[in-house]
Amino acid sequence: MDRGLHQQPRKTRLTGRSGALRALTLSLCLSTLAMPVFSQAILEGERFHPASASHGMVATSHTLATEVALKVLENGGNAVDAAVTAGFALAVTQPRSGNIGGGGFMLISKGDGSEPEAIDYREKAPTGATETMYQDESGEVVKNRSRFTHLAAGVPGTVAGLAMALDRHGTLPLKQALAPAIKLAKDGFIVPQRFSEGLEQARERLQRWPATQATFYKEDGSAWQAGERFRQPELAATLQRIADEGVKGFYQGETAQLIVEEMERHGGLITQQDLEGYQPVVRAPVHGSYRGYDIFSMSPPSSGGTHIVQILNILEGYPISELGHNSADTIHYMAEAMKLAYADRSEYLGDTDYVDVPLKGLTSKLYAEELRQDIKPDKARPAGEIGPGQPPGYESPETTHFSVVDKWGNAVSNTYTINFSYGSGITVQGAGFLLNNEMDDFSAKPGVPNAYGLIGGEANKVEPGKRMLSSMSPTIVRKDDRNFLVTGSPGGSRIITTTLQVIMNVIDHDMNIQTAVSAPRIHHQWLPDEIRIEQGISPDTIRLLENRGHKVVTNSAMGAIQSIMIGEDGTLYGGADPRRSTSSAMGY
Ligand code: DON
């Protein structure tokens, strides 16, 4: 257990919504239906084709990161070497989410069938953080204090997490994994359309901070345009210090000092001790099963794995394959199951170093069966019947996921973030990187939603040194101890449901990985009480859902899920999400 900071974490015992839940143990009484026969190879005539290769595959949200990671595989590196290289490269080429100022989770499942491992490098609340730090004297939450101020930043975990992954499972020295990122920062790269559009959209928020303006905009304040070369000399120097000194080159010395000075100038809380005390944690992933497949996904402090397994457990009781992809019946059952899971999330989930989470109960088949009893086939249950809350709005989000498989069958699934696009918007002066605003993932006050409309309570209150609850769900599905599907997504609260649907698209609907990634998605998170759908769900289906009492709202694209599937003959299939114009899957 991580007790990295000087503060001793306290364990709070939570009382359950149903006493039965806590008493439940993992049960193997499956209501498994007939298993599908797989044919997800590339089929001529299909509308979406995955990349295919036989030795290695990388899928990321930025082509330049995909390329440098693929090169590592081609040169004999393993999946962890390639993933860490991609992680640092994305910190340069995709500053809206790729980062060294944030945190995330990496799931590693070796080709030898040994137990998968999760590296938790989620940010932590600084030692000076308090439960009410985002409230005024009368207890009201102060808008944006947890999002756009120096108090929004958690202690960054990315550098320590990527270094730990490399140390435990990689073959490359850290210096070598950083080399492509340093080159991209120093020499610059040609910016794609999406890069300049992002900077245009966030201009007002970012240009409040002189260091952000100087780092990411031209001298006249205009954004870098598609086709122009963008260089980041300060970031190159920061990365070089890590290459020269290891993690100490970030958590101590000049970079640490620049972070602390930035905090001191603006009333932030991160101290030298917070930085020096930061430790990533090796955790056991959540393990569940779905129709004969093993599902491994992220354990707390992410809620992702728990609720993916919980929703799959509920859905296993329905003949989803027969009901059909995105039919009204399937969407109805998915939405009902999602509501129940997100209601539980608001009550039970938090950092297990601080609170007890009834993980076994939440992910048990027996509990799913109990929940299923209350789902009606022809009628939506109003969210109010399940739990209380206020319908909130959404903020523009950005996180990034990448998946890698190497020639030994080792798989890495990594999601990391600075929370919003460009995080807090605050660049550490002199160090050239953005700070996260992950503190907004804590519950600023019980019942008050975060930026993704997620409600939290006691389990996810702010405490010094605690990790804020996440939805990030790096996931690896195995069949008979062999890695089969490597997947994960950005999307805030929608990460869980996005990842869930790609798993279902492959297992229930027998889609090839590119079709599974591209297919229109739906989302329900209990509150607000509505099904969000992407374009591409038929008006007939929407009407059928409305007739059952669902509110259906068309949403913009949800998630950006970069996935790899391994065929029975070992062929690797990559599916990059077309929802991000810079996504790519490449193999060799
Ligand atoms: O950890 C979480 O759940 C959020 N901070 C993730 C934010 C996110 O995915 C934004 N991206 N699209």
Side-chain angles (χ1 to χ4, degrees), residues 409-439:
N410 301 312
V412 174
S413 179
N414 187 95
T415 316
Y416 75 157
T417 189
I418 40 177
N419 198 19
F420 292 7
S421 269
Y422 311 101
S424 62
I426 298 166
T427 298
V428 177
Q429 198 176 315
F433 67 90
L434 285 158
L435 285 168
N436 68 82
N437 59 348
E438 220 74 61
M439 292 293 282

PDB file of all heavy atoms in Angstrom, residues 409-439:
ATOM      1  N   GLY A 409       3.729 -11.097 -27.643  1.00  0.00           N
ATOM      2  CA  GLY A 409       2.347 -11.147 -27.148  1.00  0.00           C
ATOM      3  C   GLY A 409       2.131 -10.341 -25.880  1.00  0.00           C
ATOM      4  O   GLY A 409       1.056 -10.373 -25.286  1.00  0.00           O
ATOM      5  N   ASN A 410       3.162  -9.593 -25.450  1.00  0.00           N
ATOM      6  CA  ASN A 410       2.982  -8.708 -24.287  1.00  0.00           C
ATOM      7  C   ASN A 410       2.079  -7.547 -24.685  1.00  0.00           C
ATOM      8  O   ASN A 410       2.204  -7.012 -25.793  1.00  0.00           O
ATOM      9  CB  ASN A 410       4.325  -8.121 -23.836  1.00  0.00           C
ATOM     10  CG  ASN A 410       5.321  -9.196 -23.456  1.00  0.00           C
ATOM     11  OD1 ASN A 410       4.989 -10.110 -22.704  1.00  0.00           O
ATOM     12  ND2 ASN A 410       6.539  -9.092 -23.977  1.00  0.00           N
ATOM     13  N   ALA A 411       1.210  -7.149 -23.766  1.00  0.00           N
ATOM     14  CA  ALA A 411       0.267  -6.076 -24.085  1.00  0.00           C
ATOM     15  C   ALA A 411       0.320  -4.978 -23.029  1.00  0.00           C
ATOM     16  O   ALA A 411       0.432  -5.261 -21.839  1.00  0.00           O
ATOM     17  CB  ALA A 411      -1.138  -6.646 -24.149  1.00  0.00           C
ATOM     18  N   VAL A 412       0.234  -3.731 -23.499  1.00  0.00           N
ATOM     19  CA  VAL A 412       0.158  -2.583 -22.592  1.00  0.00           C
ATOM     20  C   VAL A 412      -1.044  -1.740 -22.980  1.00  0.00           C
ATOM     21  O   VAL A 412      -1.269  -1.442 -24.153  1.00  0.00           O
ATOM     22  CB  VAL A 412       1.437  -1.711 -22.670  1.00  0.00           C
ATOM     23  CG1 VAL A 412       1.276  -0.452 -21.825  1.00  0.00           C
ATOM     24  CG2 VAL A 412       2.654  -2.500 -22.203  1.00  0.00           C
ATOM     25  N   SER A 413      -1.804  -1.381 -21.977  1.00  0.00           N
ATOM     26  CA  SER A 413      -2.976  -0.531 -22.165  1.00  0.00           C
ATOM     27  C   SER A 413      -2.807   0.649 -21.235  1.00  0.00           C
ATOM     28  O   SER A 413      -2.735   0.461 -20.014  1.00  0.00           O
ATOM     29  CB  SER A 413      -4.213  -1.360 -21.786  1.00  0.00           C
ATOM     30  OG  SER A 413      -5.380  -0.608 -21.919  1.00  0.00           O
ATOM     31  N   ASN A 414      -2.679   1.830 -21.769  1.00  0.00           N
ATOM     32  CA  ASN A 414      -2.347   2.990 -20.927  1.00  0.00           C
ATOM     33  C   ASN A 414      -3.284   4.174 -21.197  1.00  0.00           C
ATOM     34  O   ASN A 414      -3.464   4.589 -22.331  1.00  0.00           O
ATOM     35  CB  ASN A 414      -0.912   3.452 -21.207  1.00  0.00           C
ATOM     36  CG  ASN A 414      -0.458   4.530 -20.236  1.00  0.00           C
ATOM     37  OD1 ASN A 414       0.172   4.219 -19.228  1.00  0.00           O
ATOM     38  ND2 ASN A 414      -0.782   5.789 -20.495  1.00  0.00           N
ATOM     39  N   THR A 415      -3.851   4.708 -20.126  1.00  0.00           N
ATOM     40  CA  THR A 415      -4.626   5.951 -20.241  1.00  0.00           C
ATOM     41  C   THR A 415      -4.017   6.954 -19.281  1.00  0.00           C
ATOM     42  O   THR A 415      -3.773   6.627 -18.118  1.00  0.00           O
ATOM     43  CB  THR A 415      -6.105   5.733 -19.846  1.00  0.00           C
ATOM     44  OG1 THR A 415      -6.584   4.528 -20.425  1.00  0.00           O
ATOM     45  CG2 THR A 415      -6.963   6.890 -20.329  1.00  0.00           C
ATOM     46  N   TYR A 416      -3.733   8.157 -19.774  1.00  0.00           N
ATOM     47  CA  TYR A 416      -3.253   9.201 -18.867  1.00  0.00           C
ATOM     48  C   TYR A 416      -3.826  10.548 -19.275  1.00  0.00           C
ATOM     49  O   TYR A 416      -4.366  10.710 -20.373  1.00  0.00           O
ATOM     50  CB  TYR A 416      -1.731   9.189 -18.719  1.00  0.00           C
ATOM     51  CG  TYR A 416      -0.867   9.732 -19.854  1.00  0.00           C
ATOM     52  CD1 TYR A 416       0.424  10.170 -19.592  1.00  0.00           C
ATOM     53  CD2 TYR A 416      -1.305   9.800 -21.164  1.00  0.00           C
ATOM     54  CE1 TYR A 416       1.260  10.660 -20.579  1.00  0.00           C
ATOM     55  CE2 TYR A 416      -0.475  10.293 -22.172  1.00  0.00           C
ATOM     56  CZ  TYR A 416       0.790  10.722 -21.877  1.00  0.00           C
ATOM     57  OH  TYR A 416       1.595  11.207 -22.872  1.00  0.00           O
ATOM     58  N   THR A 417      -3.723  11.520 -18.388  1.00  0.00           N
ATOM     59  CA  THR A 417      -4.503  12.737 -18.599  1.00  0.00           C
ATOM     60  C   THR A 417      -3.982  13.890 -17.749  1.00  0.00           C
ATOM     61  O   THR A 417      -3.255  13.672 -16.773  1.00  0.00           O
ATOM     62  CB  THR A 417      -5.986  12.481 -18.228  1.00  0.00           C
ATOM     63  OG1 THR A 417      -6.786  13.590 -18.613  1.00  0.00           O
ATOM     64  CG2 THR A 417      -6.166  12.236 -16.730  1.00  0.00           C
ATOM     65  N   ILE A 418      -4.380  15.116 -18.142  1.00  0.00           N
ATOM     66  CA  ILE A 418      -4.274  16.258 -17.228  1.00  0.00           C
ATOM     67  C   ILE A 418      -5.693  16.760 -16.932  1.00  0.00           C
ATOM     68  O   ILE A 418      -5.895  17.880 -16.524  1.00  0.00           O
ATOM     69  CB  ILE A 418      -3.356  17.374 -17.777  1.00  0.00           C
ATOM     70  CG1 ILE A 418      -3.555  17.596 -19.292  1.00  0.00           C
ATOM     71  CG2 ILE A 418      -1.895  17.059 -17.482  1.00  0.00           C
ATOM     72  CD1 ILE A 418      -2.717  18.759 -19.870  1.00  0.00           C
ATOM     73  N   ASN A 419      -6.668  15.906 -17.181  1.00  0.00           N
ATOM     74  CA  ASN A 419      -8.107  16.119 -16.987  1.00  0.00           C
ATOM     75  C   ASN A 419      -8.693  16.889 -18.169  1.00  0.00           C
ATOM     76  O   ASN A 419      -8.927  16.302 -19.201  1.00  0.00           O
ATOM     77  CB  ASN A 419      -8.425  16.766 -15.640  1.00  0.00           C
ATOM     78  CG  ASN A 419      -9.898  16.577 -15.275  1.00  0.00           C
ATOM     79  OD1 ASN A 419     -10.559  15.694 -15.840  1.00  0.00           O
ATOM     80  ND2 ASN A 419     -10.419  17.360 -14.372  1.00  0.00           N
ATOM     81  N   PHE A 420      -8.960  18.207 -18.056  1.00  0.00           N
ATOM     82  CA  PHE A 420      -9.545  18.911 -19.204  1.00  0.00           C
ATOM     83  C   PHE A 420      -8.513  19.003 -20.335  1.00  0.00           C
ATOM     84  O   PHE A 420      -7.329  18.745 -20.124  1.00  0.00           O
ATOM     85  CB  PHE A 420      -9.901  20.355 -18.830  1.00  0.00           C
ATOM     86  CG  PHE A 420     -11.021  20.509 -17.844  1.00  0.00           C
ATOM     87  CD1 PHE A 420     -11.588  19.427 -17.193  1.00  0.00           C
ATOM     88  CD2 PHE A 420     -11.524  21.773 -17.565  1.00  0.00           C
ATOM     89  CE1 PHE A 420     -12.622  19.590 -16.289  1.00  0.00           C
ATOM     90  CE2 PHE A 420     -12.552  21.951 -16.665  1.00  0.00           C
ATOM     91  CZ  PHE A 420     -13.100  20.862 -16.018  1.00  0.00           C
ATOM     92  N   SER A 421      -8.985  19.463 -21.499  1.00  0.00           N
ATOM     93  CA  SER A 421      -8.057  19.843 -22.544  1.00  0.00           C
ATOM     94  C   SER A 421      -7.119  20.900 -21.970  1.00  0.00           C
ATOM     95  O   SER A 421      -7.594  21.913 -21.438  1.00  0.00           O
ATOM     96  CB  SER A 421      -8.807  20.504 -23.702  1.00  0.00           C
ATOM     97  OG  SER A 421      -9.188  19.576 -24.638  1.00  0.00           O
ATOM     98  N   TYR A 422      -5.825  20.660 -22.051  1.00  0.00           N
ATOM     99  CA  TYR A 422      -4.814  21.574 -21.507  1.00  0.00           C
ATOM    100  C   TYR A 422      -4.891  21.702 -19.977  1.00  0.00           C
ATOM    101  O   TYR A 422      -4.385  22.654 -19.394  1.00  0.00           O
ATOM    102  CB  TYR A 422      -4.903  22.976 -22.147  1.00  0.00           C
ATOM    103  CG  TYR A 422      -4.969  22.932 -23.652  1.00  0.00           C
ATOM    104  CD1 TYR A 422      -6.182  23.088 -24.315  1.00  0.00           C
ATOM    105  CD2 TYR A 422      -3.831  22.679 -24.409  1.00  0.00           C
ATOM    106  CE1 TYR A 422      -6.267  22.999 -25.698  1.00  0.00           C
ATOM    107  CE2 TYR A 422      -3.907  22.593 -25.789  1.00  0.00           C
ATOM    108  CZ  TYR A 422      -5.130  22.749 -26.427  1.00  0.00           C
ATOM    109  OH  TYR A 422      -5.211  22.669 -27.776  1.00  0.00           O
ATOM    110  N   GLY A 423      -5.545  20.746 -19.323  1.00  0.00           N
ATOM    111  CA  GLY A 423      -5.586  20.693 -17.863  1.00  0.00           C
ATOM    112  C   GLY A 423      -6.071  21.982 -17.240  1.00  0.00           C
ATOM    113  O   GLY A 423      -7.102  22.527 -17.644  1.00  0.00           O
ATOM    114  N   SER A 424      -5.295  22.495 -16.293  1.00  0.00           N
ATOM    115  CA  SER A 424      -5.671  23.744 -15.624  1.00  0.00           C
ATOM    116  C   SER A 424      -5.422  24.944 -16.532  1.00  0.00           C
ATOM    117  O   SER A 424      -5.825  26.057 -16.220  1.00  0.00           O
ATOM    118  CB  SER A 424      -4.826  23.903 -14.358  1.00  0.00           C
ATOM    119  OG  SER A 424      -3.447  23.977 -14.726  1.00  0.00           O
ATOM    120  N   GLY A 425      -4.703  24.725 -17.626  1.00  0.00           N
ATOM    121  CA  GLY A 425      -4.321  25.833 -18.516  1.00  0.00           C
ATOM    122  C   GLY A 425      -3.052  26.522 -18.032  1.00  0.00           C
ATOM    123  O   GLY A 425      -2.547  27.431 -18.682  1.00  0.00           O
ATOM    124  N   ILE A 426      -2.542  26.082 -16.882  1.00  0.00           N
ATOM    125  CA  ILE A 426      -1.391  26.756 -16.276  1.00  0.00           C
ATOM    126  C   ILE A 426      -0.096  26.022 -16.649  1.00  0.00           C
ATOM    127  O   ILE A 426       0.054  24.830 -16.382  1.00  0.00           O
ATOM    128  CB  ILE A 426      -1.534  26.774 -14.735  1.00  0.00           C
ATOM    129  CG1 ILE A 426      -2.788  27.564 -14.339  1.00  0.00           C
ATOM    130  CG2 ILE A 426      -0.277  27.356 -14.085  1.00  0.00           C
ATOM    131  CD1 ILE A 426      -3.223  27.364 -12.896  1.00  0.00           C
ATOM    132  N   THR A 427       0.822  26.757 -17.284  1.00  0.00           N
ATOM    133  CA  THR A 427       2.135  26.204 -17.625  1.00  0.00           C
ATOM    134  C   THR A 427       3.125  26.571 -16.525  1.00  0.00           C
ATOM    135  O   THR A 427       3.129  27.718 -16.051  1.00  0.00           O
ATOM    136  CB  THR A 427       2.614  26.808 -18.967  1.00  0.00           C
ATOM    137  OG1 THR A 427       1.673  26.424 -19.974  1.00  0.00           O
ATOM    138  CG2 THR A 427       4.004  26.326 -19.349  1.00  0.00           C
ATOM    139  N   VAL A 428       3.919  25.612 -16.106  1.00  0.00           N
ATOM    140  CA  VAL A 428       4.951  25.909 -15.111  1.00  0.00           C
ATOM    141  C   VAL A 428       5.986  26.816 -15.781  1.00  0.00           C
ATOM    142  O   VAL A 428       6.635  26.407 -16.757  1.00  0.00           O
ATOM    143  CB  VAL A 428       5.639  24.618 -14.614  1.00  0.00           C
ATOM    144  CG1 VAL A 428       6.761  24.946 -13.637  1.00  0.00           C
ATOM    145  CG2 VAL A 428       4.616  23.687 -13.970  1.00  0.00           C
ATOM    146  N   GLN A 429       6.090  28.024 -15.278  1.00  0.00           N
ATOM    147  CA  GLN A 429       6.985  28.996 -15.903  1.00  0.00           C
ATOM    148  C   GLN A 429       8.421  28.481 -15.921  1.00  0.00           C
ATOM    149  O   GLN A 429       8.930  28.018 -14.893  1.00  0.00           O
ATOM    150  CB  GLN A 429       6.928  30.312 -15.129  1.00  0.00           C
ATOM    151  CG  GLN A 429       7.468  31.477 -15.930  1.00  0.00           C
ATOM    152  CD  GLN A 429       7.311  32.787 -15.170  1.00  0.00           C
ATOM    153  OE1 GLN A 429       6.259  33.059 -14.605  1.00  0.00           O
ATOM    154  NE2 GLN A 429       8.371  33.565 -15.166  1.00  0.00           N
ATOM    155  N   GLY A 430       9.024  28.501 -17.086  1.00  0.00           N
ATOM    156  CA  GLY A 430      10.403  28.057 -17.218  1.00  0.00           C
ATOM    157  C   GLY A 430      10.550  26.565 -17.478  1.00  0.00           C
ATOM    158  O   GLY A 430      11.627  26.094 -17.818  1.00  0.00           O
ATOM    159  N   ALA A 431       9.454  25.798 -17.311  1.00  0.00           N
ATOM    160  CA  ALA A 431       9.565  24.339 -17.484  1.00  0.00           C
ATOM    161  C   ALA A 431       8.777  23.840 -18.694  1.00  0.00           C
ATOM    162  O   ALA A 431       8.939  22.691 -19.112  1.00  0.00           O
ATOM    163  CB  ALA A 431       9.106  23.607 -16.229  1.00  0.00           C
ATOM    164  N   GLY A 432       7.891  24.691 -19.225  1.00  0.00           N
ATOM    165  CA  GLY A 432       7.264  24.397 -20.518  1.00  0.00           C
ATOM    166  C   GLY A 432       6.223  23.297 -20.537  1.00  0.00           C
ATOM    167  O   GLY A 432       5.914  22.770 -21.595  1.00  0.00           O
ATOM    168  N   PHE A 433       5.649  22.925 -19.385  1.00  0.00           N
ATOM    169  CA  PHE A 433       4.574  21.933 -19.445  1.00  0.00           C
ATOM    170  C   PHE A 433       3.375  22.376 -18.610  1.00  0.00           C
ATOM    171  O   PHE A 433       3.496  23.179 -17.686  1.00  0.00           O
ATOM    172  CB  PHE A 433       5.066  20.543 -18.997  1.00  0.00           C
ATOM    173  CG  PHE A 433       5.448  20.452 -17.539  1.00  0.00           C
ATOM    174  CD1 PHE A 433       4.502  20.098 -16.588  1.00  0.00           C
ATOM    175  CD2 PHE A 433       6.742  20.714 -17.127  1.00  0.00           C
ATOM    176  CE1 PHE A 433       4.840  20.007 -15.247  1.00  0.00           C
ATOM    177  CE2 PHE A 433       7.092  20.623 -15.777  1.00  0.00           C
ATOM    178  CZ  PHE A 433       6.130  20.277 -14.839  1.00  0.00           C
ATOM    179  N   LEU A 434       2.218  21.841 -18.994  1.00  0.00           N
ATOM    180  CA  LEU A 434       0.956  22.222 -18.362  1.00  0.00           C
ATOM    181  C   LEU A 434       0.697  21.399 -17.112  1.00  0.00           C
ATOM    182  O   LEU A 434       1.008  20.208 -17.059  1.00  0.00           O
ATOM    183  CB  LEU A 434      -0.194  21.984 -19.349  1.00  0.00           C
ATOM    184  CG  LEU A 434      -0.323  22.995 -20.487  1.00  0.00           C
ATOM    185  CD1 LEU A 434      -1.098  22.404 -21.642  1.00  0.00           C
ATOM    186  CD2 LEU A 434      -0.996  24.277 -19.987  1.00  0.00           C
ATOM    187  N   LEU A 435       0.081  22.044 -16.141  1.00  0.00           N
ATOM    188  CA  LEU A 435      -0.317  21.339 -14.921  1.00  0.00           C
ATOM    189  C   LEU A 435      -1.746  20.827 -15.057  1.00  0.00           C
ATOM    190  O   LEU A 435      -2.605  21.482 -15.658  1.00  0.00           O
ATOM    191  CB  LEU A 435      -0.241  22.290 -13.728  1.00  0.00           C
ATOM    192  CG  LEU A 435       1.161  22.605 -13.232  1.00  0.00           C
ATOM    193  CD1 LEU A 435       1.122  23.776 -12.251  1.00  0.00           C
ATOM    194  CD2 LEU A 435       1.791  21.374 -12.573  1.00  0.00           C
ATOM    195  N   ASN A 436      -1.961  19.667 -14.478  1.00  0.00           N
ATOM    196  CA  ASN A 436      -3.298  19.075 -14.495  1.00  0.00           C
ATOM    197  C   ASN A 436      -4.279  19.897 -13.664  1.00  0.00           C
ATOM    198  O   ASN A 436      -3.880  20.720 -12.835  1.00  0.00           O
ATOM    199  CB  ASN A 436      -3.208  17.666 -13.904  1.00  0.00           C
ATOM    200  CG  ASN A 436      -2.879  17.696 -12.415  1.00  0.00           C
ATOM    201  OD1 ASN A 436      -3.769  17.888 -11.588  1.00  0.00           O
ATOM    202  ND2 ASN A 436      -1.597  17.567 -12.066  1.00  0.00           N
ATOM    203  N   ASN A 437      -5.583  19.626 -13.892  1.00  0.00           N
ATOM    204  CA  ASN A 437      -6.607  20.117 -12.945  1.00  0.00           C
ATOM    205  C   ASN A 437      -7.430  18.926 -12.443  1.00  0.00           C
ATOM    206  O   ASN A 437      -8.651  18.944 -12.397  1.00  0.00           O
ATOM    207  CB  ASN A 437      -7.504  21.196 -13.562  1.00  0.00           C
ATOM    208  CG  ASN A 437      -8.242  20.737 -14.789  1.00  0.00           C
ATOM    209  OD1 ASN A 437      -7.955  19.685 -15.358  1.00  0.00           O
ATOM    210  ND2 ASN A 437      -9.233  21.504 -15.211  1.00  0.00           N
ATOM    211  N   GLU A 438      -6.668  17.899 -12.026  1.00  0.00           N
ATOM    212  CA  GLU A 438      -7.291  16.640 -11.628  1.00  0.00           C
ATOM    213  C   GLU A 438      -8.021  16.746 -10.294  1.00  0.00           C
ATOM    214  O   GLU A 438      -8.864  15.903  -9.987  1.00  0.00           O
ATOM    215  CB  GLU A 438      -6.191  15.571 -11.516  1.00  0.00           C
ATOM    216  CG  GLU A 438      -6.585  14.220 -12.054  1.00  0.00           C
ATOM    217  CD  GLU A 438      -6.621  14.179 -13.561  1.00  0.00           C
ATOM    218  OE1 GLU A 438      -5.574  14.403 -14.200  1.00  0.00           O
ATOM    219  OE2 GLU A 438      -7.698  13.923 -14.117  1.00  0.00           O
ATOM    220  N   MET A 439      -7.717  17.774  -9.495  1.00  0.00           N
ATOM    221  CA  MET A 439      -8.386  17.885  -8.187  1.00  0.00           C
ATOM    222  C   MET A 439      -9.902  17.988  -8.367  1.00  0.00           C
ATOM    223  O   MET A 439     -10.658  17.677  -7.459  1.00  0.00           O
ATOM    224  CB  MET A 439      -7.848  19.104  -7.409  1.00  0.00           C
ATOM    225  CG  MET A 439      -6.398  18.975  -6.955  1.00  0.00           C
ATOM    226  SD  MET A 439      -6.103  17.711  -5.702  1.00  0.00           S
ATOM    227  CE  MET A 439      -6.679  18.559  -4.218  1.00  0.00           C
TER     228      MET A 439
END
